[in-house]
């Protein structure tokens, strides 16, 4: 990759990323959201984040792996249970990561 | 409270997700060097694009020598979710001057949305100070992301196997930490289950289209269940619960 190609890629990625994030803010004083959109928007974080992580958790090697030898599944389940139970973000993240690495490296020793 | 104190509140609310983001930034930098890309390329991408998951997807495409338009259009689709965050935040930024809205737009990431949005709901952020809280969150993530990218590039050259450690699990755990507080109502569970199942079924679609379609399915499912079930239709209660 040349310097020119690299710069072009970064410029293009910046343009679409910033464009998506800013376009509604740019017209924020004029945009009026219909009530049903407002109501649907509260589901966005759960829907988007779930759609990003579920394939990472269940298909770490491109095919569905529901077994207990899948560290992604074990770590995610642990984080999920702690998250539901305690509602503490830091604890959720730490327990999930610990279980993941224990499953990935501990069990294989 | 002065500006610094409001910014500090935003940064403090972001700490758990900043910790979750550190391994992810290290991984991004080390992956870039394991693909043989110039250190400056990874550093510049984190500084100008500032979009974790899209940067990962782009690295994968660059490694496959994908054409320019595929890289840019995939970035667009992966980040399209931020349009939905922006739509939700419009009411809180409409009175702000344009330069402030530009900065807030540049910094609109999952984590800052997840940290600041519930604060508006409980009154910890409002019309007068919300943008300061937001800036505190954005800047702390921005510094973390760029510093860890640089460290990742440097350590990736020293420890080539770092990209295989599974550091990206930190992102999975962080996102689970964002999701679980919502799961107090049936509608959010159905949103989660439908988006998750769809993302597996549609994982074969090109250019990450499965992600976008699954997210839309999840939102529609949640909305439909919410509308048909009176007991949870008082939407604002959900968000208040989330921020506790």
């Amino acid at each position: 990759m040349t310097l020119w190609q690299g710069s072009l890629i970064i410029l293009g990625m910046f343009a679409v990323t910033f464009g998506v994030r800013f376009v509604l803010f740019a017209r924020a004083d004029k945009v009026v959201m219909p009530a049903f959109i407002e109501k649907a928007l509260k589901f966005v974080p759960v829907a988007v984040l779930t759609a990003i992580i579920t394939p990472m958790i269940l298909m770490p090697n491109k095919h569905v792996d529901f077994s207990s030898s899948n560290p992604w599944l074990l770590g995610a389940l642990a984080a999920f249970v702690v998250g539901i139970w305690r509602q503490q973000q830091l604890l959720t993240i730490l327990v999930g990561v610990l279980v993941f690495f224990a499953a990935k490296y501990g069990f294989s020793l | 409270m002065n500006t610094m104190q409001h910014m500090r509140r935003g940064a403090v609310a972001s700490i758990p997700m900043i910790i979750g983001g550190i391994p992810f930034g290290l991984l991004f930098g080390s992956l870039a060097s394991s693909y043989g890309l110039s250190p400056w390329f990874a550093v510049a991408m984190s500084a100008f694009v500032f979009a974790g998951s899209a940067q990962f997807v782009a690295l994968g495409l660059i490694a496959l020598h994908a054409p320019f338009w595929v890289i840019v259009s995939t970035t667009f689709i992966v980040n399209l979710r931020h349009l939905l965050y922006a739509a939700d935040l419009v009411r809180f930024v409409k009175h702000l001057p344009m330069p402030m809205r530009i900065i807030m737009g540049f910094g609109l990431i999952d984590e800052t949305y997840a940290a600041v949005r519930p604060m508006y709901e409980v009154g910890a952020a409002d019309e007068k100070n919300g943008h300061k809280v937001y800036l505190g969150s954005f800047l702390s993530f921005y510094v973390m992301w760029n510093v860890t990218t640089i460290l990742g590039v440097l350590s990736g050259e020293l420890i080539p196997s770092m990209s295989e450690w599974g550091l990206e699990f930190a992102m999975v755990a962080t996102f689970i930490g964002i999701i679980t507080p919502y799961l107090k109502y049936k509608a959010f569970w159905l949103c989660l289950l439908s988006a998750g199942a769809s993302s597996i079924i549609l994982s074969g679609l090109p250019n990450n289209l499965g992600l976008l379609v699954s997210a839309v399915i999840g939102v529609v499912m949640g909305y439909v269940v919410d509308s048909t079930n009176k007991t949870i239709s008082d939407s604002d209660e959900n968000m208040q619960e989330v921020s506790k």
Side-chain angles (χ1 to χ4, degrees):
Chain A
M1 189 170 60
T2 63
L3 180 65
W4 162 243
Q5 286 171 321
S7 310
L8 198 66
I9 288 172
I10 288 174
L11 188 69
M13 288 179 69
F14 163 77
V16 292
T17 302
F18 179 69
V20 161
R21 290 171 178 176
F22 180 61
V23 66
L24 289 178
F25 284 5
R27 313 264 313 161
D29 36 357
K30 299 176 189 74
V31 173
V32 181
M33 290 288 161
F36 80 95
I37 301 261
E38 294 264 347
K39 220 174 145 211
L41 284 173
K42 67 175 193 263
F43 293 101
V44 166
V46 173
V48 171
L49 300 179
T50 304
I52 292 177
I53 63 176
T54 309
M56 295 174 74
I57 296 165
L58 293 180
M59 310 171 69
N61 298 309
K62 307 280 168 225
H63 53 86
V64 176
D65 179 358
F66 245 122
S67 72
S68 62
S69 61
N70 175 0
W72 293 82
L73 181 59
L74 296 180
L77 280 178
F80 195 78
V81 169
V82 172
I84 298 276
W85 177 43
R86 297 306 289 269
Q87 315 261 318
Q88 278 184 25
Q89 217 166 30
L90 190 57
L91 192 70
T92 304
I93 294 168
L94 292 179
V95 170
V97 168
L98 278 178
V99 170
F100 170 79
F101 282 109
K104 190 173 161 74
Y105 294 105
F107 295 173
S108 62
L109 290 178
Chain B
M1 264 196 265
N2 62 30
T3 301
M4 274 315 285
Q5 285 166 320
H6 290 301
M7 288 179 67
R8 192 174 304 135
R9 287 196 299 126
V12 167
S14 309
I15 287 173
M17 288 179 281
I18 289 172
I19 292 173
I22 289 172
F24 200 50
L26 292 173
L27 174 68
F28 174 73
S30 69
L31 258 187
S33 50
S34 80
Y35 289 160
L37 298 168
S38 147
W40 294 110
F41 181 71
V43 172
M45 199 192 271
S46 283
F48 290 108
V49 182
F50 189 48
S53 41
Q55 288 180 222
F56 269 87
V57 174
L59 272 196
L61 291 172
I62 291 165
L64 297 170
H65 301 288
F68 172 76
W69 69 269
V70 170
I71 297 169
V72 172
S73 60
T74 304
T75 302
F76 175 73
I77 290 169
V78 171
N79 285 335
L80 211 45
R81 66 186 187 279
H82 296 137
L83 190 65
L84 302 172
Y85 297 160
D88 192 28
L89 292 175
V90 156
R91 64 191 120 156
F92 303 118
V93 306
K94 61 182 178 210
H95 63 292
L96 297 170
M98 193 55 83
M100 180 58 67
R101 284 192 238 158
I102 291 175
I103 297 169
M104 290 174 76
F106 179 76
L108 183 54
I109 55 173
D110 298 287
E111 288 87 348
T112 288
Y113 174 78
V116 177
R117 181 62 181 82
M119 296 175 74
Y120 278 109
E121 209 63 40
V122 294
D126 59 28
E127 219 168 76
K128 284 197 200 71
N129 62 35
H131 58 290
K132 299 172 185 168
V133 175
Y134 186 108
L135 280 187
S137 171
F138 154 55
L139 285 175
S140 48
F141 280 112
Y142 191 72
V143 169
M144 176 278 287
W145 185 243
N146 284 283
V147 169
T148 53
T149 298
I150 294 168
L151 291 177
V153 168
L154 297 176
S155 51
E157 290 183 348
L158 297 173
I159 320 166
S161 67
M162 207 169 130
S163 54
E164 290 148 30
W165 289 356
L167 292 175
E168 64 269 43
F169 185 82
M171 179 179 84
V172 173
T174 302
F175 285 2
I176 291 173
I178 296 176
I179 293 169
T180 45
Y182 285 92
L183 300 176
K184 289 188 171 151
Y185 298 91
K186 202 169 72 182
F188 285 98
W189 279 97
L190 267 149
C191 169
L192 174 122
L193 292 173
S194 55
S198 315
S199 71
I200 296 295
I201 295 163
L202 302 174
S203 63
L205 290 186
N207 292 344
N208 267 285
L209 264 175
L211 162 62
L212 194 70
V213 177
S214 310
V216 171
I217 291 172
V219 169
V220 170
M221 283 297 289
Y223 178 78
V224 169
V225 174
D226 198 12
S227 306
T228 54
N229 191 337
K230 294 262 186 290
T231 56
I232 54 165
S233 61
D234 245 327
S235 60
D236 288 346
E237 267 176 43
N238 296 335
M239 288 304 296
Q240 287 181 3
E241 291 294 329
V242 162
S243 54
K244 273 180 193 164

